[in-house]
Amino acid sequence: MRFLRSDSRLIGVLLVLAITQLIGWGTIGLPAVIGRDLAADLGMSLSAVFAGSSVLYVTMGLCAPWLARAFARHGARKVMMVGTVVTLPGFVVMSFAHEPMLYFIGWVILGMGGSATLSTGAYIMLNEVAGRGAKNAIGGLMLVTGLSSSIFWPTTSFLSGHFGWRGTCLVYAAMMLLINLPLYAFLAPRQKIATDDGGGPIKAAPPAIPRSTFGLVVCVITMNAFVNFGIGAIMIELLRAEGLAPAQALAFGSMLGVIQVSARGLDFLGGGRWDGITTGLVAGTALPVAMLLLMTSEGATWAVAVFILLYGAGSGAMAVARATIPLVFYDQAEFAKAMSMIALPLNLASAISPPLLVGLLTQFGGRGALGLTFVFSCATVLILVMLGRRRPQVAAAAAT
């Protein structure tokens, strides 16, 4: 935790992002709590209500590449301020929805704002302050964002009980206006954009990183996102398919979040002694082992417990790796461009994975879903080995 002792500015940025990211991720978790109320009022099936989250991720992914130049030219602060302003009417539109069309339009607007404010923008802002040293700060931020559902699920339940789901949407719109926007406007750092003699912005020199390396980074992040978001979404049903009673499946599944946050905490306590590739190799190896164990154990209780432990620790640490692997190869403006481009396939994978794995689970049982994620997890480890051999010298030296 060296940055806590050496950079008070980074601590301030981290506090701003901890609050805004917690609110940002927590408020879009509406369907998990009030999904049945939404379905009843809008005349939709429960699965259609949850499809709003898929619309969010797809929109975020499609918008992200368009923001790459804006992040590099104007800095994360200005882009995230605009994104917050865009997010606000998304909740307002949703609160006025009386049919599916307006409901999904609300999610599209939230996705447009989220592409500028959720995760990618936060990581870019930390990189603007700390450069390659942002890895541990990103890990610290993810410790907080991992608690978003634990804080906002009961918050959403309380608000909807008093104001209804429409009133809850308006409260969340007000939070964007009264909390997130002022934090970005007055406390987030302003990017110092260097200029040449003519007064125009200097274009960052392209990094000496082959395109094939960027392709490998995209593949490893996208495949792991597919596995993590998909398995996380179907975990309870997967455990039930393995023969567990509903109560047992819920009990084991509820342990997952605690283990994931604990794994992120261990990586955070490492104090930047290893880079994202090392984190990914250690954590990524646990995932195929966990899946192979569950596939071959015939639903034994001890095997399910070990699976939850291995998968929870591996997926929790891999979430940090996904955010920090680009730091190994890119810095400052190039990091912003890389993260914006990576966000497209990452968010599309996040949107596609749950329904695809649910289909495999329905048609072929747990072996179908586990088999596909096992293949993806093995491929992820192999690509991480290749990326480890391509580390730039400066990154390799910092990791030792």
Side-chain angles (χ1 to χ4, degrees):
M1 304 195 298
R2 288 171 290 181
F3 77 91
L4 292 175
R5 298 191 296 267
S6 60
D7 195 339
S8 59
R9 182 167 179 256
L10 182 55
I11 297 173
V13 175
L14 194 56
L15 289 174
V16 168
L17 291 175
I19 296 170
T20 56
Q21 293 297 293
L22 189 65
I23 293 174
W25 283 112
T27 54
I28 62 173
L30 288 165
V33 181
I34 58 174
R36 293 186 182 276
D37 294 336
L38 288 165
D41 280 4
L42 301 178
M44 300 167 62
S45 67
L46 190 60
S47 60
V49 167
F50 276 88
S53 297
S54 295
V55 171
L56 171 88
Y57 284 121
V58 170
T59 305
M60 287 175 62
L62 293 176
C63 291
W66 296 93
L67 293 175
R69 182 170 295 181
F71 274 119
R73 183 179 181 86
H74 301 292
R77 172 181 167 272
K78 290 183 179 179
V79 175
M80 295 178 84
M81 287 174 61
V82 173
T84 302
V85 173
V86 172
T87 299
L88 192 154
F91 285 112
V92 176
V93 167
M94 194 176 297
S95 73
F96 284 100
H98 291 278
E99 71 285 327
M101 180 63 70
L102 205 57
Y103 173 74
F104 287 117
I105 289 175
W107 281 110
V108 170
I109 297 172
L110 291 176
M112 293 169 62
S115 65
T117 59
L118 296 177
S119 292
T120 298
Y123 303 154
I124 290 172
M125 183 177 288
L126 289 173
N127 178 257
E128 289 174 356
V129 176
R132 295 186 192 273
K135 177 187 179 295
N136 213 36
I138 290 175
L141 178 62
M142 296 183 79
L143 283 175
V144 178
T145 56
L147 300 173
S148 60
S149 60
S150 299
I151 294 174
F152 270 86
W153 282 3
T155 300
T156 299
S157 179
F158 172 82
L159 290 173
S160 63
H162 285 75
F163 307 109
W165 69 265
R166 298 180 190 279
T168 301
C169 288
L170 294 177
V171 170
Y172 287 163
M175 291 178 72
M176 295 295 159
L177 178 64
L178 300 177
I179 300 177
N180 284 21
L181 186 59
L183 285 175
Y184 289 136
F186 301 114
L187 296 180
R190 290 169 169 79
Q191 183 192 40
K192 295 180 179 179
I193 304 173
T195 57
D196 56 21
D197 293 337
I202 293 178
K203 296 183 179 179
I209 302 296
R211 285 192 174 184
S212 61
T213 299
F214 178 70
L216 292 176
V217 171
V218 171
C219 285
V220 77
I221 290 175
T222 301
M223 286 193 295
N224 179 255
F226 180 94
V227 171
N228 282 16
F229 278 87
I231 292 293
I234 70 166
M235 177 61 75
I236 303 299
E237 293 301 322
L238 175 63
L239 295 179
R240 293 183 65 176
E242 290 298 311
L244 271 67
Q248 283 182 305
L250 182 61
F252 276 112
S254 64
M255 296 165 53
L256 187 63
V258 176
I259 297 172
Q260 287 174 327
V261 171
S262 298
R264 295 180 187 182
L266 290 175
D267 185 78
F268 173 72
L269 292 174
R273 295 183 181 89
W274 49 80
D275 61 19
I277 294 176
T278 302
T279 297
L281 280 170
V282 175
T285 303
L287 298 183
V289 173
M291 292 163 191
L292 185 63
L293 175 65
L294 192 60
M295 282 192 290
T296 58
S297 64
E298 302 295 334
T301 303
W302 68 267
V304 173
V306 175
F307 165 77
I308 291 292
L309 179 62
L310 289 175
Y311 175 78
S315 60
M318 275 301 298
V320 179
R322 287 201 307 271
T324 57
I325 285 172
L327 287 172
V328 177
F329 300 100
Y330 302 99
D331 200 2
Q332 301 299 333
E334 292 303 324
F335 176 81
K337 294 176 185 177
M339 289 299 292
S340 296
M341 297 303 293
I342 290 168
L344 172 58
L346 187 153
N347 282 288
L348 292 180
S350 302
I352 293 170
S353 178
L356 178 57
L357 292 186
V358 165
L360 289 173
L361 187 65
T362 302
Q363 293 293 322
F364 305 105
R367 301 299 183 276
L370 288 169
L372 180 60
T373 53
F374 173 79
V375 171
F376 274 36
S377 297
C378 289
T380 297
V381 174
L382 292 175
I383 295 174
L384 283 167
V385 172
M386 297 171 63
L387 286 174
R389 295 175 178 174
R390 298 189 180 202
R391 278 190 183 96
Q393 288 300 115
V394 62
T400 57

